[in-house]
Amino acid sequence: MSKIVNVEFKLRTYEYYKPFHITGSISESSTNIEVVIETDAGVKGYGEISPSFRVNGEKVEALYKLEEAVKESIIGMDVKEYRKIFEVLDRFFSTPSVKAGVQYAVLDAFSEEIETPVYYLLGGLKEEIETDRTVGMDTIENMVKEAKKIFSEGFNVIKIKVGENLRKDIEVVGEIAKETKGAKYIVDANMGYTPKQAIEFARVLYRRGIDISVFEQPVVASDIEGLKYIRFNSTYPVAADESARSKYDVYRLIKEEAVDFINIKLMKSGISDALAIIEMTKTANLQLMIGCMGESSLGINQSVNIALGTGAFVFHDLDSHLMLKENAFRGKFKQENAKIKIL
């Protein structure tokens, strides 16, 4: 049998190696919830909930108390029929990171029972992906130094956090580009610019001959018109992150022709919405990247399997586990510099 007999939530806190600074936020640690699902066959599946108050309005203290509600919803259900369980968990629409962690734990339990990796259950389209690494906000000197180190370690895609000081941002991206020739750049403003500032940022860097692969979430999440304005008035592809939390958000972005890229994060949408978004964006001929919040290796494992299984993503921003201090690596994947594959 494959029926769920228990669901357990466990609090886990991980410190960052150094404070992680993005627009309007500095994090020194990440407190997540480890999800353990057990079936009547004695098999256990694992997932992780990594909430973001800034993006989803979620607090870990509140999510932890949902353990009993999750138990009441899915105990007795069969992990083989995981789409039925996904439909039940979609009722937790206001707590998408709970959806993500529990839905993945269900998939993980099913995969353990049939001895087949999760990415095969989702299609097995890729054997390997390549992640970027992120340069958090700091002094110009420190950001350039970190970017050079990342590039020297074999990471060919560098994500650069900007959004608090336009002039400094232009300078730091320019200096990083000088020192890491041959790299690709994802520039993420985390909602820090006005539309006019975003256009100036793009125009100045373009005139300097600097190519940016993705200009991510330059304006506040609710400003869909602003995203569209930037998309049609700058040379760089524009991505929605905070503006694209659910499949309904993405549907609106597609209708408005507001972006070139959608950044899927499981913690924003859950796995069920993520799979729907993948199909929607394929139909609309948009491109996809996959990102993360403050997940440990256990949580990054979820996104790795989604990315490999669906093969849907142009860029993979799956590096949070490399920023966190963990006692033990818990992902079911192997990483060599930027390259990631399933064990």
mmCIF file with all atom_site columns, all heavy atoms in Angstrom, residues 152-177:
data_model
loop_
_atom_site.group_PDB
_atom_site.id
_atom_site.type_symbol
_atom_site.label_atom_id
_atom_site.label_alt_id
_atom_site.label_comp_id
_atom_site.label_asym_id
_atom_site.label_entity_id
_atom_site.label_seq_id
_atom_site.pdbx_PDB_ins_code
_atom_site.Cartn_x
_atom_site.Cartn_y
_atom_site.Cartn_z
_atom_site.occupancy
_atom_site.B_iso_or_equiv
_atom_site.pdbx_formal_charge
_atom_site.auth_seq_id
_atom_site.auth_comp_id
_atom_site.auth_asym_id
_atom_site.auth_atom_id
_atom_site.pdbx_PDB_model_num
ATOM 1   N N   . SER A 1 152 ? 35.608 32.479 -11.541 1.00 0.00 ? 152 SER A N   1
ATOM 2   C CA  . SER A 1 152 ? 36.804 31.631 -11.524 1.00 0.00 ? 152 SER A CA  1
ATOM 3   C C   . SER A 1 152 ? 36.493 30.213 -11.058 1.00 0.00 ? 152 SER A C   1
ATOM 4   O O   . SER A 1 152 ? 37.243 29.274 -11.359 1.00 0.00 ? 152 SER A O   1
ATOM 5   C CB  . SER A 1 152 ? 37.873 32.244 -10.611 1.00 0.00 ? 152 SER A CB  1
ATOM 6   O OG  . SER A 1 152 ? 37.512 32.148 -9.243  1.00 0.00 ? 152 SER A OG  1
ATOM 7   N N   . GLU A 1 153 ? 35.397 30.043 -10.337 1.00 0.00 ? 153 GLU A N   1
ATOM 8   C CA  . GLU A 1 153 ? 34.997 28.725 -9.839  1.00 0.00 ? 153 GLU A CA  1
ATOM 9   C C   . GLU A 1 153 ? 34.160 27.945 -10.850 1.00 0.00 ? 153 GLU A C   1
ATOM 10  O O   . GLU A 1 153 ? 33.688 26.851 -10.545 1.00 0.00 ? 153 GLU A O   1
ATOM 11  C CB  . GLU A 1 153 ? 34.229 28.870 -8.526  1.00 0.00 ? 153 GLU A CB  1
ATOM 12  C CG  . GLU A 1 153 ? 35.112 29.344 -7.361  1.00 0.00 ? 153 GLU A CG  1
ATOM 13  C CD  . GLU A 1 153 ? 34.310 29.647 -6.112  1.00 0.00 ? 153 GLU A CD  1
ATOM 14  O OE1 . GLU A 1 153 ? 33.046 29.730 -6.202  1.00 0.00 ? 153 GLU A OE1 1
ATOM 15  O OE2 . GLU A 1 153 ? 34.934 29.828 -5.047  1.00 0.00 ? 153 GLU A OE2 1
ATOM 16  N N   . GLY A 1 154 ? 33.960 28.494 -12.029 1.00 0.00 ? 154 GLY A N   1
ATOM 17  C CA  . GLY A 1 154 ? 33.268 27.764 -13.081 1.00 0.00 ? 154 GLY A CA  1
ATOM 18  C C   . GLY A 1 154 ? 31.800 28.082 -13.242 1.00 0.00 ? 154 GLY A C   1
ATOM 19  O O   . GLY A 1 154 ? 31.083 27.381 -13.965 1.00 0.00 ? 154 GLY A O   1
ATOM 20  N N   . PHE A 1 155 ? 31.328 29.146 -12.619 1.00 0.00 ? 155 PHE A N   1
ATOM 21  C CA  . PHE A 1 155 ? 29.939 29.577 -12.783 1.00 0.00 ? 155 PHE A CA  1
ATOM 22  C C   . PHE A 1 155 ? 29.893 30.603 -13.914 1.00 0.00 ? 155 PHE A C   1
ATOM 23  O O   . PHE A 1 155 ? 30.435 31.697 -13.790 1.00 0.00 ? 155 PHE A O   1
ATOM 24  C CB  . PHE A 1 155 ? 29.391 30.173 -11.482 1.00 0.00 ? 155 PHE A CB  1
ATOM 25  C CG  . PHE A 1 155 ? 29.212 29.158 -10.392 1.00 0.00 ? 155 PHE A CG  1
ATOM 26  C CD1 . PHE A 1 155 ? 30.270 28.835 -9.554  1.00 0.00 ? 155 PHE A CD1 1
ATOM 27  C CD2 . PHE A 1 155 ? 27.990 28.507 -10.211 1.00 0.00 ? 155 PHE A CD2 1
ATOM 28  C CE1 . PHE A 1 155 ? 30.119 27.894 -8.547  1.00 0.00 ? 155 PHE A CE1 1
ATOM 29  C CE2 . PHE A 1 155 ? 27.832 27.561 -9.211  1.00 0.00 ? 155 PHE A CE2 1
ATOM 30  C CZ  . PHE A 1 155 ? 28.905 27.251 -8.373  1.00 0.00 ? 155 PHE A CZ  1
ATOM 31  N N   . ASN A 1 156 ? 29.250 30.228 -15.002 1.00 0.00 ? 156 ASN A N   1
ATOM 32  C CA  . ASN A 1 156 ? 29.249 31.065 -16.202 1.00 0.00 ? 156 ASN A CA  1
ATOM 33  C C   . ASN A 1 156 ? 28.087 32.047 -16.264 1.00 0.00 ? 156 ASN A C   1
ATOM 34  O O   . ASN A 1 156 ? 28.057 32.915 -17.138 1.00 0.00 ? 156 ASN A O   1
ATOM 35  C CB  . ASN A 1 156 ? 29.232 30.176 -17.447 1.00 0.00 ? 156 ASN A CB  1
ATOM 36  C CG  . ASN A 1 156 ? 30.460 29.305 -17.537 1.00 0.00 ? 156 ASN A CG  1
ATOM 37  O OD1 . ASN A 1 156 ? 31.580 29.793 -17.404 1.00 0.00 ? 156 ASN A OD1 1
ATOM 38  N ND2 . ASN A 1 156 ? 30.268 28.005 -17.734 1.00 0.00 ? 156 ASN A ND2 1
ATOM 39  N N   . VAL A 1 157 ? 27.114 31.877 -15.347 1.00 0.00 ? 157 VAL A N   1
ATOM 40  C CA  . VAL A 1 157 ? 25.996 32.815 -15.250 1.00 0.00 ? 157 VAL A CA  1
ATOM 41  C C   . VAL A 1 157 ? 26.061 33.455 -13.866 1.00 0.00 ? 157 VAL A C   1
ATOM 42  O O   . VAL A 1 157 ? 26.065 32.754 -12.852 1.00 0.00 ? 157 VAL A O   1
ATOM 43  C CB  . VAL A 1 157 ? 24.639 32.114 -15.446 1.00 0.00 ? 157 VAL A CB  1
ATOM 44  C CG1 . VAL A 1 157 ? 23.503 33.141 -15.393 1.00 0.00 ? 157 VAL A CG1 1
ATOM 45  C CG2 . VAL A 1 157 ? 24.611 31.348 -16.761 1.00 0.00 ? 157 VAL A CG2 1
ATOM 46  N N   . ILE A 1 158 ? 26.131 34.774 -13.846 1.00 0.00 ? 158 ILE A N   1
ATOM 47  C CA  . ILE A 1 158 ? 26.251 35.517 -12.589 1.00 0.00 ? 158 ILE A CA  1
ATOM 48  C C   . ILE A 1 158 ? 24.997 36.358 -12.402 1.00 0.00 ? 158 ILE A C   1
ATOM 49  O O   . ILE A 1 158 ? 24.607 37.116 -13.291 1.00 0.00 ? 158 ILE A O   1
ATOM 50  C CB  . ILE A 1 158 ? 27.490 36.430 -12.596 1.00 0.00 ? 158 ILE A CB  1
ATOM 51  C CG1 . ILE A 1 158 ? 28.766 35.593 -12.815 1.00 0.00 ? 158 ILE A CG1 1
ATOM 52  C CG2 . ILE A 1 158 ? 27.592 37.220 -11.298 1.00 0.00 ? 158 ILE A CG2 1
ATOM 53  C CD1 . ILE A 1 158 ? 30.009 36.428 -13.038 1.00 0.00 ? 158 ILE A CD1 1
ATOM 54  N N   . LYS A 1 159 ? 24.376 36.198 -11.243 1.00 0.00 ? 159 LYS A N   1
ATOM 55  C CA  . LYS A 1 159 ? 23.205 37.019 -10.908 1.00 0.00 ? 159 LYS A CA  1
ATOM 56  C C   . LYS A 1 159 ? 23.660 38.169 -10.016 1.00 0.00 ? 159 LYS A C   1
ATOM 57  O O   . LYS A 1 159 ? 24.345 37.948 -9.009  1.00 0.00 ? 159 LYS A O   1
ATOM 58  C CB  . LYS A 1 159 ? 22.144 36.178 -10.198 1.00 0.00 ? 159 LYS A CB  1
ATOM 59  C CG  . LYS A 1 159 ? 20.844 36.936 -9.951  1.00 0.00 ? 159 LYS A CG  1
ATOM 60  C CD  . LYS A 1 159 ? 19.739 35.994 -9.534  1.00 0.00 ? 159 LYS A CD  1
ATOM 61  C CE  . LYS A 1 159 ? 18.419 36.724 -9.409  1.00 0.00 ? 159 LYS A CE  1
ATOM 62  N NZ  . LYS A 1 159 ? 17.296 35.825 -9.101  1.00 0.00 ? 159 LYS A NZ  1
ATOM 63  N N   . ILE A 1 160 ? 23.271 39.382 -10.388 1.00 0.00 ? 160 ILE A N   1
ATOM 64  C CA  . ILE A 1 160 ? 23.730 40.579 -9.683  1.00 0.00 ? 160 ILE A CA  1
ATOM 65  C C   . ILE A 1 160 ? 22.529 41.282 -9.072  1.00 0.00 ? 160 ILE A C   1
ATOM 66  O O   . ILE A 1 160 ? 21.583 41.648 -9.771  1.00 0.00 ? 160 ILE A O   1
ATOM 67  C CB  . ILE A 1 160 ? 24.461 41.534 -10.643 1.00 0.00 ? 160 ILE A CB  1
ATOM 68  C CG1 . ILE A 1 160 ? 25.585 40.805 -11.388 1.00 0.00 ? 160 ILE A CG1 1
ATOM 69  C CG2 . ILE A 1 160 ? 25.017 42.736 -9.876  1.00 0.00 ? 160 ILE A CG2 1
ATOM 70  C CD1 . ILE A 1 160 ? 26.141 41.596 -12.566 1.00 0.00 ? 160 ILE A CD1 1
ATOM 71  N N   . LYS A 1 161 ? 22.575 41.476 -7.756  1.00 0.00 ? 161 LYS A N   1
ATOM 72  C CA  . LYS A 1 161 ? 21.494 42.167 -7.059  1.00 0.00 ? 161 LYS A CA  1
ATOM 73  C C   . LYS A 1 161 ? 21.712 43.680 -7.115  1.00 0.00 ? 161 LYS A C   1
ATOM 74  O O   . LYS A 1 161 ? 22.791 44.191 -6.774  1.00 0.00 ? 161 LYS A O   1
ATOM 75  C CB  . LYS A 1 161 ? 21.427 41.714 -5.599  1.00 0.00 ? 161 LYS A CB  1
ATOM 76  C CG  . LYS A 1 161 ? 20.993 40.262 -5.425  1.00 0.00 ? 161 LYS A CG  1
ATOM 77  C CD  . LYS A 1 161 ? 19.536 40.057 -5.783  1.00 0.00 ? 161 LYS A CD  1
ATOM 78  C CE  . LYS A 1 161 ? 19.061 38.653 -5.427  1.00 0.00 ? 161 LYS A CE  1
ATOM 79  N NZ  . LYS A 1 161 ? 17.623 38.456 -5.732  1.00 0.00 ? 161 LYS A NZ  1
ATOM 80  N N   . VAL A 1 162 ? 20.680 44.395 -7.557  1.00 0.00 ? 162 VAL A N   1
ATOM 81  C CA  . VAL A 1 162 ? 20.714 45.860 -7.641  1.00 0.00 ? 162 VAL A CA  1
ATOM 82  C C   . VAL A 1 162 ? 19.376 46.386 -7.117  1.00 0.00 ? 162 VAL A C   1
ATOM 83  O O   . VAL A 1 162 ? 18.530 45.632 -6.675  1.00 0.00 ? 162 VAL A O   1
ATOM 84  C CB  . VAL A 1 162 ? 20.957 46.327 -9.096  1.00 0.00 ? 162 VAL A CB  1
ATOM 85  C CG1 . VAL A 1 162 ? 22.294 45.830 -9.611  1.00 0.00 ? 162 VAL A CG1 1
ATOM 86  C CG2 . VAL A 1 162 ? 19.816 45.868 -10.028 1.00 0.00 ? 162 VAL A CG2 1
ATOM 87  N N   . GLY A 1 163 ? 19.182 47.727 -7.197  1.00 0.00 ? 163 GLY A N   1
ATOM 88  C CA  . GLY A 1 163 ? 17.864 48.272 -6.914  1.00 0.00 ? 163 GLY A CA  1
ATOM 89  C C   . GLY A 1 163 ? 17.785 49.329 -5.837  1.00 0.00 ? 163 GLY A C   1
ATOM 90  O O   . GLY A 1 163 ? 16.726 49.918 -5.627  1.00 0.00 ? 163 GLY A O   1
ATOM 91  N N   . GLU A 1 164 ? 18.895 49.615 -5.137  1.00 0.00 ? 164 GLU A N   1
ATOM 92  C CA  . GLU A 1 164 ? 18.829 50.617 -4.071  1.00 0.00 ? 164 GLU A CA  1
ATOM 93  C C   . GLU A 1 164 ? 19.520 51.939 -4.437  1.00 0.00 ? 164 GLU A C   1
ATOM 94  O O   . GLU A 1 164 ? 19.252 52.964 -3.812  1.00 0.00 ? 164 GLU A O   1
ATOM 95  C CB  . GLU A 1 164 ? 19.454 50.056 -2.784  1.00 0.00 ? 164 GLU A CB  1
ATOM 96  C CG  . GLU A 1 164 ? 18.578 49.006 -2.121  1.00 0.00 ? 164 GLU A CG  1
ATOM 97  C CD  . GLU A 1 164 ? 19.094 48.540 -0.772  1.00 0.00 ? 164 GLU A CD  1
ATOM 98  O OE1 . GLU A 1 164 ? 20.262 48.829 -0.420  1.00 0.00 ? 164 GLU A OE1 1
ATOM 99  O OE2 . GLU A 1 164 ? 18.329 47.877 -0.060  1.00 0.00 ? 164 GLU A OE2 1
ATOM 100 N N   . ASN A 1 165 ? 20.401 51.908 -5.440  1.00 0.00 ? 165 ASN A N   1
ATOM 101 C CA  . ASN A 1 165 ? 21.136 53.117 -5.815  1.00 0.00 ? 165 ASN A CA  1
ATOM 102 C C   . ASN A 1 165 ? 21.473 53.007 -7.300  1.00 0.00 ? 165 ASN A C   1
ATOM 103 O O   . ASN A 1 165 ? 22.390 52.285 -7.690  1.00 0.00 ? 165 ASN A O   1
ATOM 104 C CB  . ASN A 1 165 ? 22.409 53.246 -4.971  1.00 0.00 ? 165 ASN A CB  1
ATOM 105 C CG  . ASN A 1 165 ? 23.192 54.514 -5.259  1.00 0.00 ? 165 ASN A CG  1
ATOM 106 O OD1 . ASN A 1 165 ? 23.284 54.963 -6.396  1.00 0.00 ? 165 ASN A OD1 1
ATOM 107 N ND2 . ASN A 1 165 ? 23.770 55.099 -4.217  1.00 0.00 ? 165 ASN A ND2 1
ATOM 108 N N   . LEU A 1 166 ? 20.743 53.724 -8.132  1.00 0.00 ? 166 LEU A N   1
ATOM 109 C CA  . LEU A 1 166 ? 20.846 53.571 -9.579  1.00 0.00 ? 166 LEU A CA  1
ATOM 110 C C   . LEU A 1 166 ? 22.264 53.813 -10.082 1.00 0.00 ? 166 LEU A C   1
ATOM 111 O O   . LEU A 1 166 ? 22.786 53.022 -10.875 1.00 0.00 ? 166 LEU A O   1
ATOM 112 C CB  . LEU A 1 166 ? 19.862 54.517 -10.275 1.00 0.00 ? 166 LEU A CB  1
ATOM 113 C CG  . LEU A 1 166 ? 19.861 54.480 -11.805 1.00 0.00 ? 166 LEU A CG  1
ATOM 114 C CD1 . LEU A 1 166 ? 19.455 53.106 -12.326 1.00 0.00 ? 166 LEU A CD1 1
ATOM 115 C CD2 . LEU A 1 166 ? 18.920 55.559 -12.360 1.00 0.00 ? 166 LEU A CD2 1
ATOM 116 N N   . ARG A 1 167 ? 22.896 54.906 -9.663  1.00 0.00 ? 167 ARG A N   1
ATOM 117 C CA  . ARG A 1 167 ? 24.233 55.232 -10.159 1.00 0.00 ? 167 ARG A CA  1
ATOM 118 C C   . ARG A 1 167 ? 25.247 54.163 -9.751  1.00 0.00 ? 167 ARG A C   1
ATOM 119 O O   . ARG A 1 167 ? 26.088 53.740 -10.552 1.00 0.00 ? 167 ARG A O   1
ATOM 120 C CB  . ARG A 1 167 ? 24.678 56.600 -9.626  1.00 0.00 ? 167 ARG A CB  1
ATOM 121 C CG  . ARG A 1 167 ? 23.837 57.737 -10.145 1.00 0.00 ? 167 ARG A CG  1
ATOM 122 C CD  . ARG A 1 167 ? 23.876 57.788 -11.672 1.00 0.00 ? 167 ARG A CD  1
ATOM 123 N NE  . ARG A 1 167 ? 22.835 58.666 -12.217 1.00 0.00 ? 167 ARG A NE  1
ATOM 124 C CZ  . ARG A 1 167 ? 22.418 58.634 -13.446 1.00 0.00 ? 167 ARG A CZ  1
ATOM 125 N NH1 . ARG A 1 167 ? 22.909 57.744 -14.294 1.00 0.00 ? 167 ARG A NH1 1
ATOM 126 N NH2 . ARG A 1 167 ? 21.471 59.450 -13.871 1.00 0.00 ? 167 ARG A NH2 1
ATOM 127 N N   . LYS A 1 168 ? 25.174 53.739 -8.509  1.00 0.00 ? 168 LYS A N   1
ATOM 128 C CA  . LYS A 1 168 ? 26.076 52.683 -8.047  1.00 0.00 ? 168 LYS A CA  1
ATOM 129 C C   . LYS A 1 168 ? 25.821 51.391 -8.815  1.00 0.00 ? 168 LYS A C   1
ATOM 130 O O   . LYS A 1 168 ? 26.758 50.674 -9.201  1.00 0.00 ? 168 LYS A O   1
ATOM 131 C CB  . LYS A 1 168 ? 25.886 52.445 -6.552  1.00 0.00 ? 168 LYS A CB  1
ATOM 132 C CG  . LYS A 1 168 ? 26.724 51.294 -6.010  1.00 0.00 ? 168 LYS A CG  1
ATOM 133 C CD  . LYS A 1 168 ? 26.246 50.850 -4.645  1.00 0.00 ? 168 LYS A CD  1
ATOM 134 C CE  . LYS A 1 168 ? 26.901 49.535 -4.264  1.00 0.00 ? 168 LYS A CE  1
ATOM 135 N NZ  . LYS A 1 168 ? 26.324 48.949 -3.053  1.00 0.00 ? 168 LYS A NZ  1
ATOM 136 N N   . ASP A 1 169 ? 24.542 51.075 -9.041  1.00 0.00 ? 169 ASP A N   1
ATOM 137 C CA  . ASP A 1 169 ? 24.189 49.843 -9.747  1.00 0.00 ? 169 ASP A CA  1
ATOM 138 C C   . ASP A 1 169 ? 24.779 49.810 -11.151 1.00 0.00 ? 169 ASP A C   1
ATOM 139 O O   . ASP A 1 169 ? 25.322 48.792 -11.598 1.00 0.00 ? 169 ASP A O   1
ATOM 140 C CB  . ASP A 1 169 ? 22.670 49.690 -9.830  1.00 0.00 ? 169 ASP A CB  1
ATOM 141 C CG  . ASP A 1 169 ? 22.014 49.513 -8.467  1.00 0.00 ? 169 ASP A CG  1
ATOM 142 O OD1 . ASP A 1 169 ? 22.731 49.164 -7.504  1.00 0.00 ? 169 ASP A OD1 1
ATOM 143 O OD2 . ASP A 1 169 ? 20.789 49.715 -8.379  1.00 0.00 ? 169 ASP A OD2 1
ATOM 144 N N   . ILE A 1 170 ? 24.666 50.925 -11.861 1.00 0.00 ? 170 ILE A N   1
ATOM 145 C CA  . ILE A 1 170 ? 25.232 51.006 -13.211 1.00 0.00 ? 170 ILE A CA  1
ATOM 146 C C   . ILE A 1 170 ? 26.740 50.788 -13.163 1.00 0.00 ? 170 ILE A C   1
ATOM 147 O O   . ILE A 1 170 ? 27.313 50.042 -13.971 1.00 0.00 ? 170 ILE A O   1
ATOM 148 C CB  . ILE A 1 170 ? 24.887 52.365 -13.852 1.00 0.00 ? 170 ILE A CB  1
ATOM 149 C CG1 . ILE A 1 170 ? 23.379 52.436 -14.164 1.00 0.00 ? 170 ILE A CG1 1
ATOM 150 C CG2 . ILE A 1 170 ? 25.714 52.592 -15.124 1.00 0.00 ? 170 ILE A CG2 1
ATOM 151 C CD1 . ILE A 1 170 ? 22.894 53.807 -14.573 1.00 0.00 ? 170 ILE A CD1 1
ATOM 152 N N   . GLU A 1 171 ? 27.380 51.400 -12.193 1.00 0.00 ? 171 GLU A N   1
ATOM 153 C CA  . GLU A 1 171 ? 28.835 51.263 -12.075 1.00 0.00 ? 171 GLU A CA  1
ATOM 154 C C   . GLU A 1 171 ? 29.229 49.835 -11.736 1.00 0.00 ? 171 GLU A C   1
ATOM 155 O O   . GLU A 1 171 ? 30.162 49.284 -12.329 1.00 0.00 ? 171 GLU A O   1
ATOM 156 C CB  . GLU A 1 171 ? 29.373 52.230 -11.016 1.00 0.00 ? 171 GLU A CB  1
ATOM 157 C CG  . GLU A 1 171 ? 30.892 52.222 -10.936 1.00 0.00 ? 171 GLU A CG  1
ATOM 158 C CD  . GLU A 1 171 ? 31.440 53.242 -9.955  1.00 0.00 ? 171 GLU A CD  1
ATOM 159 O OE1 . GLU A 1 171 ? 30.655 54.067 -9.445  1.00 0.00 ? 171 GLU A OE1 1
ATOM 160 O OE2 . GLU A 1 171 ? 32.661 53.193 -9.685  1.00 0.00 ? 171 GLU A OE2 1
ATOM 161 N N   . VAL A 1 172 ? 28.519 49.222 -10.800 1.00 0.00 ? 172 VAL A N   1
ATOM 162 C CA  . VAL A 1 172 ? 28.931 47.882 -10.358 1.00 0.00 ? 172 VAL A CA  1
ATOM 163 C C   . VAL A 1 172 ? 28.724 46.847 -11.458 1.00 0.00 ? 172 VAL A C   1
ATOM 164 O O   . VAL A 1 172 ? 29.575 45.968 -11.660 1.00 0.00 ? 172 VAL A O   1
ATOM 165 C CB  . VAL A 1 172 ? 28.214 47.475 -9.056  1.00 0.00 ? 172 VAL A CB  1
ATOM 166 C CG1 . VAL A 1 172 ? 26.770 47.052 -9.288  1.00 0.00 ? 172 VAL A CG1 1
ATOM 167 C CG2 . VAL A 1 172 ? 28.969 46.348 -8.356  1.00 0.00 ? 172 VAL A CG2 1
ATOM 168 N N   . VAL A 1 173 ? 27.637 46.944 -12.207 1.00 0.00 ? 173 VAL A N   1
ATOM 169 C CA  . VAL A 1 173 ? 27.426 46.001 -13.312 1.00 0.00 ? 173 VAL A CA  1
ATOM 170 C C   . VAL A 1 173 ? 28.496 46.200 -14.375 1.00 0.00 ? 173 VAL A C   1
ATOM 171 O O   . VAL A 1 173 ? 29.039 45.229 -14.929 1.00 0.00 ? 173 VAL A O   1
ATOM 172 C CB  . VAL A 1 173 ? 26.009 46.152 -13.902 1.00 0.00 ? 173 VAL A CB  1
ATOM 173 C CG1 . VAL A 1 173 ? 25.859 45.294 -15.163 1.00 0.00 ? 173 VAL A CG1 1
ATOM 174 C CG2 . VAL A 1 173 ? 24.955 45.758 -12.874 1.00 0.00 ? 173 VAL A CG2 1
ATOM 175 N N   . GLY A 1 174 ? 28.835 47.449 -14.639 1.00 0.00 ? 174 GLY A N   1
ATOM 176 C CA  . GLY A 1 174 ? 29.890 47.725 -15.611 1.00 0.00 ? 174 GLY A CA  1
ATOM 177 C C   . GLY A 1 174 ? 31.231 47.164 -15.184 1.00 0.00 ? 174 GLY A C   1
ATOM 178 O O   . GLY A 1 174 ? 31.959 46.569 -15.999 1.00 0.00 ? 174 GLY A O   1
ATOM 179 N N   . GLU A 1 175 ? 31.571 47.309 -13.917 1.00 0.00 ? 175 GLU A N   1
ATOM 180 C CA  . GLU A 1 175 ? 32.853 46.803 -13.415 1.00 0.00 ? 175 GLU A CA  1
ATOM 181 C C   . GLU A 1 175 ? 32.882 45.284 -13.402 1.00 0.00 ? 175 GLU A C   1
ATOM 182 O O   . GLU A 1 175 ? 33.896 44.661 -13.729 1.00 0.00 ? 175 GLU A O   1
ATOM 183 C CB  . GLU A 1 175 ? 33.114 47.353 -12.010 1.00 0.00 ? 175 GLU A CB  1
ATOM 184 C CG  . GLU A 1 175 ? 33.440 48.829 -11.968 1.00 0.00 ? 175 GLU A CG  1
ATOM 185 C CD  . GLU A 1 175 ? 34.682 49.171 -12.778 1.00 0.00 ? 175 GLU A CD  1
ATOM 186 O OE1 . GLU A 1 175 ? 35.701 48.477 -12.626 1.00 0.00 ? 175 GLU A OE1 1
ATOM 187 O OE2 . GLU A 1 175 ? 34.619 50.113 -13.590 1.00 0.00 ? 175 GLU A OE2 1
ATOM 188 N N   . ILE A 1 176 ? 31.765 44.660 -13.012 1.00 0.00 ? 176 ILE A N   1
ATOM 189 C CA  . ILE A 1 176 ? 31.705 43.197 -13.031 1.00 0.00 ? 176 ILE A CA  1
ATOM 190 C C   . ILE A 1 176 ? 31.872 42.680 -14.459 1.00 0.00 ? 176 ILE A C   1
ATOM 191 O O   . ILE A 1 176 ? 32.591 41.705 -14.706 1.00 0.00 ? 176 ILE A O   1
ATOM 192 C CB  . ILE A 1 176 ? 30.386 42.700 -12.402 1.00 0.00 ? 176 ILE A CB  1
ATOM 193 C CG1 . ILE A 1 176 ? 30.423 42.901 -10.879 1.00 0.00 ? 176 ILE A CG1 1
ATOM 194 C CG2 . ILE A 1 176 ? 30.131 41.224 -12.737 1.00 0.00 ? 176 ILE A CG2 1
ATOM 195 C CD1 . ILE A 1 176 ? 29.116 42.589 -10.176 1.00 0.00 ? 176 ILE A CD1 1
ATOM 196 N N   . ALA A 1 177 ? 31.228 43.340 -15.406 1.00 0.00 ? 177 ALA A N   1
ATOM 197 C CA  . ALA A 1 177 ? 31.332 42.915 -16.812 1.00 0.00 ? 177 ALA A CA  1
ATOM 198 C C   . ALA A 1 177 ? 32.773 43.011 -17.318 1.00 0.00 ? 177 ALA A C   1
ATOM 199 O O   . ALA A 1 177 ? 33.230 42.160 -18.087 1.00 0.00 ? 177 ALA A O   1
ATOM 200 C CB  . ALA A 1 177 ? 30.399 43.747 -17.679 1.00 0.00 ? 177 ALA A CB  1
#
